[in-house]
Amino acid sequence: NAGVTQTPKFQVLKTGQSMTLQCAQDMNHNSMYWYRQDPGMGLRLIYYSASEGTTDKGEVPNGYNVSRLNKREFSLRLESAAPSQTSVYFCASSARDPLSYEQYFGPGTRLTVT
Amino acid sequence: SQQGEEDPQALSIQEGENATMNCSYKTSINNLQWYRQNSGRGLVHLILIRSNEREKHSGRLRVTLDTSKKSSSLLITASRAADTASYFCATVNTGGFKTIFGAGTRLFVKA
C-alpha cells in the first residue's frame, strides 16, 4: 500500500515549456486534489476532483489544467510554464469530502521554472 | 487569500515543554483540521474538530475551537525532538471540498 505517489520528484523547466505532473493513489479514495506550496507559506488549492469524472477549480487555477484519468490517477498539466509557477506541488486524496475525511498527501514535486 | 492565520510564525522550546499554536480564520467553517509537515515532505493529518465541538484530544495533542472568536489552538504536551516540524491549520467551509491552509507555525524542539 503505497498511499499517494507523485512523479517526478524534481523538475526544471524553461519558460514556455509544458509538462504534466502525475499523481496516483491506491486507497480507493473518491476525491483528489492538487496544491502548490510557495516558500514560507501554506498550501493553496489549484484544482480538485470530487469524484471520478469531475474536476473543479480551486483558489489558484490559472495556468493549469487537470485530468482525472480514472479513480486512481489525477494529473496536473502546465501548458506554458512561467517563473511564477516555481513551487512545490502536492497531490492529495480523501475518501470523500473534507467535511468528514482527512486528506492524505503525496511527497511532492519540486518544480523550478527558469 | 489565506483563511487560516497561525500564530506564532515560529516557536523554539526545550524537550519536555508544552507547545501552543494558534489559528484564526475569517468565515464560517464546517470543520478545522491540523496537519504536520516535516521538512521537505508532504503533510500528515493530525486531528479534525467539527464546528459544534469545543475540544478534542488525541494522544499528546489537544485542540480547542472557539467559533465565536473564529480561532483554534493546538497544544502539544511534553514535546519531543521528533515533534520538530511545521504545523498548519486548515479550514473547510460548508461547500466541503475547498480546504484553505494557513501559513503555518514552525516548531523547533531542542533536545
Side-chain angles (χ1 to χ4, degrees):
Chain A
N1 191 338
V4 180
T5 57
Q6 292 182 237
T7 56
K9 286 188 168 50
F10 301 93
Q11 183 71 49
V12 179
L13 291 178
K14 290 186 174 9
T15 297
Q17 288 185 319
S18 61
M19 78 160 296
T20 299
L21 281 65
Q22 307 286 354
C23 173
Q25 51 90 10
D26 61 3
M27 296 175 281
N28 201 35
H29 283 170
N30 288 316
S31 304
M32 298 185 74
Y33 313 81
W34 275 107
Y35 293 90
R36 61 177 286 174
Q37 184 179 31
D38 297 315
M41 295 183 69
L43 278 66
R44 290 184 292 170
L45 182 64
I46 304 171
Y47 270 94
Y48 66 94
S49 171
S51 59
E52 187 179 355
T54 69
T55 61
D56 284 284
K57 294 178 181 179
E59 192 181 354
V60 288
N62 291 346
Y64 305 94
N65 285 301
V66 291
S67 295
R68 183 75 183 265
L69 304 168
N70 47 55
K71 191 171 186 179
R72 289 188 65 247
E73 298 172 289
F74 189 37
S75 63
L76 178 72
R77 183 159 178 84
L78 286 71
E79 290 292 351
S80 178
S84 61
Q85 294 178 305
T86 292
S87 190
V88 181
Y89 290 85
F90 290 98
C91 177
S93 70
S94 66
R96 288 209 302 272
D97 59 79
L99 287 173
S100 302
Y101 297 93
E102 67 265 35
Q103 295 178 48
Y104 292 80
F105 284 82
T109 294
R110 292 183 178 277
L111 175 66
T112 301
V113 183
T114 61
Chain B
S1 62
Q2 298 281 348
Q3 165 81 309
E5 299 289 338
E6 283 94 339
D7 167 54
Q9 290 185 332
L11 181 61
S12 182
I13 59 174
Q14 292 290 139
E15 209 167 29
E17 293 180 338
N18 295 341
T20 299
M21 289 158 264
N22 303 297
C23 169
S24 60
Y25 57 92
K26 295 175 183 160
T27 62
S28 296
I29 61 171
N30 178 280
N31 68 59
L32 186 146
Q33 303 177 30
W34 285 90
Y35 287 81
R36 184 187 73 222
Q37 183 180 36
N38 290 90
S39 181
R41 298 196 168 188
L43 277 69
V44 174
H45 183 265
L46 294 176
I47 196 164
L48 181 155
I49 185 165
R50 302 189 192 287
S51 59
N52 61 354
E53 297 176 310
R54 291 295 166 259
E55 189 170 311
K56 205 160 183 182
H57 296 255
S58 177
R60 294 184 297 112
L61 306 180
R62 172 178 168 253
V63 170
T64 61
L65 179 64
D66 186 336
T67 53
S68 66
K69 294 181 179 177
K70 292 187 168 56
S71 67
S72 173
S73 67
L74 171 67
L75 169 67
I76 304 174
T77 60
S79 62
R80 305 166 183 167
D83 294 329
T84 294
S86 291
Y87 292 82
F88 296 89
C89 69
T91 53
V92 181
N93 297 337
T94 53
F97 285 94
K98 293 188 179 181
T99 306
I100 307 295
F101 286 83
T105 292
R106 288 151 203 67
L107 174 66
F108 182 64
V109 182
K110 293 177 278 190

